Amino acid sequence: MVSTTKIKSVDFYRKIPRDLTEASLSGAGLSIVAALAMIFLFGMELSTYLAVTTNTSVIVDNSSDGDFLRIDFNVSFPSLSCEFASVDVRDVLGTNRLNLTKTIKKVPIDPHLRATGAEVHSTSGLDLINHGDEDHGNNTYAAIPLTGATIDKFSHHFQILVVNFFAPWCYWSNRLKPSWEKAAEITRERYNPETDGRVLLGSVDCTEEATLCKRNHIQGYPSIRIFRKGSDLKEDHGHHEHESYYGDRDTESILKMVEELLKPMKKEDHKLALEGKTDNVVSSIKKAPVSGGCRIVGYVRAKKIPGEIIISAHSGAHSFDASQMNMSHYVSHLSFGKMISERLLTDMKRLLPYLGQSHDRLNSKWFINEGQFAANVTIEHYLQVVKTEVVSRRFGQEHSVIEEYEYTAHSNVAHGYYYPVAKFHFDLSPVQVLISENPKSFSHFITNVCAIIGGVFTVAGILDSIFQNTIRLVKKVELGKNI
């Protein structure tokens, strides 16, 4: 069995008998200073341990969010009707998706960007509209030409006034003209305006009646509008409450539309106003735009390659007057990737110097066509996108704290040869910015604390020894002089 004496022989900290030690005033003062120094250095080391060292580096993009990038936007166009507004996505590989609707919402707005109605759903099948093959020369009657002065008179006299807003230069207007005039002739024979008074077909030349067409928010030609007696204008908000016809444009289809509109009416009731649309009207009749602007809200998913989002007026059966189109817009929001909540940014204040400064460069900005280029003015935005990722290595584990896409933006207006559009070109960088949070380990903290305590204690002991030896030396010198 090992004796206690042998165990004591390995003691590193041998004790000096208390009788052999002597306390001094200078030693007490030095001990207090040493204790204060230990406390101060311990606080500095604790602060350093709790702080996180942030390193920024650039690496090849190793995104964990797949091959597609989500792009959120909220853009308002005061002069682009929701009736024809289209969102297209293209990329350099040839992918071309037209008139996206699944993730897009279109809301009509007034010139002050205030919503004027419910969401507008895109009209499908415009590219497949059937046109008749009637010969215009065989018609003996032309649709009544209407003007700003006469349209109100006729709309208050007839229960149904169907108006073709057209432009003489328009290809689709010229294709509709024979069928429209033939349908007007047959309608006149069936429902004599003098004796019946229930329905009338008319036409408006928008090159001659620009103010009237603008008042009715006509942006594509031809546009067929249906005015019901007493309901063409609501006094409570001033919005036009009539309907648009989007069906086939042959004579038979137009006549069928007229018959469906007249089904709920009796001849003897033609002087009574019809306040609402009936359930028997064909599905190709929809509410007409109540204002000339549109707010486009939603998101698209695009491949992580150079591409563009194009917002424009689009229709496979209408023509547009480029000189009257204005693609000025207000960007409420445009961002790439997952949106970072304000709460998260607030919680991550320590990261604000490194991120959150360029993920919304276009937000709350107007882009206006001042008219210096006249017609066909396209407004383009060039966006250089780079991913920023914050990685934390706390508690021995590595995890992503924030992933966001920041971008630079350069905007320009350009005169083109086609219809004006709003383009958002985006180009994703093949590299990403990696921000690494590297906290100190607890073992490093304990080591430094021990070094502080031991170092201060040792230095204080040495200083005290030097001080005591100096005092003894001084006393010996003085004693020698006295002798």
Side-chain angles (χ1 to χ4, degrees):
M1 186 172 181
V2 181
S3 65
T4 306
T5 304
K6 290 183 177 181
I7 295 176
K8 289 182 178 181
S9 65
V10 298
D11 185 5
F12 294 157
Y13 310 101
R14 294 176 180 252
K15 309 300 184 294
I16 300 175
R18 190 173 185 84
D19 297 339
L20 301 179
T21 60
E22 179 183 359
S24 64
L25 188 61
S26 60
L30 194 58
S31 297
I32 294 174
V33 172
L36 293 176
M38 290 181 189
I39 294 174
F40 173 75
L41 293 176
F42 174 80
M44 294 287 291
E45 182 62 27
L46 180 61
S47 175
T48 303
Y49 169 71
L50 295 177
V52 179
T53 303
T54 303
N55 298 322
T56 302
S57 59
V58 177
I59 63 173
V60 175
D61 186 7
N62 58 355
S63 301
S64 60
D65 48 2
D67 297 329
F68 288 86
L69 176 65
R70 172 169 170 152
I71 307 175
D72 289 86
F73 53 85
N74 182 340
V75 186
S76 299
F77 293 82
S79 301
L80 175 64
S81 174
C82 291
E83 186 178 14
F84 301 112
S86 173
V87 179
D88 308 332
V89 177
R90 302 174 182 171
D91 60 42
V92 294
L93 293 182
T95 303
N96 191 5
R97 293 179 289 161
L98 301 177
N99 196 19
L100 300 178
T101 58
K102 188 175 180 179
T103 59
I104 304 296
K105 181 171 69 173
K106 296 184 287 187
V107 179
I109 58 174
D110 62 17
H112 302 289
L113 308 186
R114 295 174 300 198
T116 57
E119 176 185 353
V120 175
H121 297 281
S122 298
T123 302
S124 60
L126 290 181
D127 297 347
L128 304 175
I129 287 181
N130 179 42
H131 290 75
D133 297 321
E134 292 87 348
D135 183 5
H136 177 58
N138 296 331
N139 294 337
T140 59
Y141 169 77
I144 294 179
L146 302 174
T147 64
T150 61
I151 191 170
D152 290 336
K153 173 184 175 182
F154 283 109
S155 63
H156 285 82
H157 179 76
F158 292 91
Q159 290 192 28
I160 298 293
L161 177 64
V162 188
V163 183
N164 169 27
F165 292 88
F166 71 97
W169 51 264
C170 170
Y171 168 78
W172 298 109
S173 295
N174 291 326
R175 286 202 63 180
L176 170 63
K177 186 176 181 180
S179 301
W180 186 258
E181 295 192 345
K182 183 67 176 178
E185 178 182 6
I186 296 175
T187 301
R188 181 183 176 89
E189 293 174 353
R190 292 180 181 177
Y191 312 100
N192 192 313
E194 302 296 333
T195 59
D196 190 303
R198 282 183 293 172
V199 63
L200 181 71
L201 271 62
S203 298
V204 173
D205 184 348
C206 287
T207 60
E208 300 290 338
E209 298 292 333
T211 302
L212 174 60
C213 293
K214 185 176 181 179
R215 190 179 76 188
N216 288 280
H217 312 299
I218 305 299
Q219 295 185 4
Y221 310 110
S223 290
I224 300 175
R225 298 283 196 257
I226 301 168
F227 297 85
R228 298 176 183 272
K229 184 177 180 180
S231 63
D232 60 325
L233 187 66
K234 296 292 186 181
E235 295 182 356
D236 54 347
H237 51 59
H239 299 155
H240 293 269
E241 298 288 357
H242 46 273
E243 296 145 314
S244 291
Y245 172 69
Y246 298 103
D248 291 335
R249 296 173 181 171
D250 58 288
T251 301
E252 182 180 354
S253 297
I254 296 173
L255 290 174
K256 181 180 178 181
M257 177 262 293
V258 173
E259 292 292 337
E260 290 290 336
L261 292 174
L262 293 179
K263 272 185 178 180
M265 301 179 188
K266 296 180 180 179
K267 181 177 179 181
E268 58 270 19
D269 296 334
H270 70 276
K271 294 184 180 180
L272 300 177
L274 183 65
E275 296 183 357
K277 175 179 162 183
T278 67
D279 295 333
N280 295 325
V281 179
V282 291
S283 60
S284 56
I285 297 177
K286 297 184 179 181
K287 188 176 181 180
V290 296
S291 59
C294 189
R295 178 181 298 122
I296 302 176
V297 184
Y299 70 90
V300 297
R301 292 177 61 83
K303 291 182 179 179
K304 291 183 177 180
I305 55 177
E308 58 188 10
I309 298 175
I310 302 174
I311 301 178
S312 63
H314 174 78
S315 174
H318 294 82
S319 299
F320 304 97
D321 185 356
S323 64
Q324 301 298 319
M325 298 179 70
N326 188 333
M327 297 304 294
S328 297
H329 54 272
Y330 175 77
V331 180
S332 298
H333 175 78
L334 176 68
S335 66
F336 295 84
K338 297 179 181 179
M339 295 179 61
I340 302 177
S341 66
E342 293 295 332
R343 180 178 179 181
L344 179 58
L345 280 178
T346 302
D347 294 340
M348 305 293 289
K349 288 182 179 179
R350 66 181 184 278
L351 300 175
L352 290 181
Y354 304 96
L355 52 79
Q357 306 297 319
S358 302
H359 68 281
D360 55 359
R361 279 293 182 91
L362 294 183
N363 286 17
S364 304
K365 291 185 179 180
W366 272 101
F367 299 93
I368 300 176
N369 169 23
E370 301 290 352
Q372 66 270 35
F373 293 100
N376 301 340
V377 176
T378 288
I379 302 178
E380 298 181 276
H381 308 280
Y382 297 88
L383 313 176
Q384 292 284 340
V385 187
V386 62
K387 182 180 180 180
T388 301
E389 183 176 3
V390 179
V391 175
S392 176
R393 295 185 174 89
R394 290 191 172 189
F395 309 112
Q397 296 181 347
E398 180 176 309
H399 64 279
S400 178
V401 179
I402 291 180
E403 291 184 5
E404 70 159 1
Y405 288 84
E406 300 193 358
Y407 63 90
T408 60
H410 303 278
S411 302
N412 184 46
V413 293
H415 180 75
Y417 296 99
Y418 303 100
Y419 294 137
V421 301
K423 287 185 178 181
F424 296 84
H425 303 271
F426 55 89
D427 187 3
L428 275 77
S429 174
V431 299
Q432 74 174 66
V433 177
L434 181 64
I435 302 173
S436 302
E437 291 186 306
N438 301 308
K440 292 184 178 180
S441 64
F442 183 73
S443 60
H444 186 274
F445 169 70
I446 292 297
T447 302
N448 284 0
V449 170
C450 292
I452 289 172
I453 296 174
V456 172
F457 185 82
T458 301
V459 170
I462 294 172
L463 291 176
D464 183 55
S465 177
I466 293 174
F467 183 73
Q468 294 297 331
N469 290 334
T470 302
I471 292 177
R472 293 191 189 97
L473 182 60
V474 170
K475 288 182 177 179
K476 286 182 179 180
V477 171
E478 290 179 353
L479 181 61
K481 288 181 179 180
N482 293 335
I483 293 175

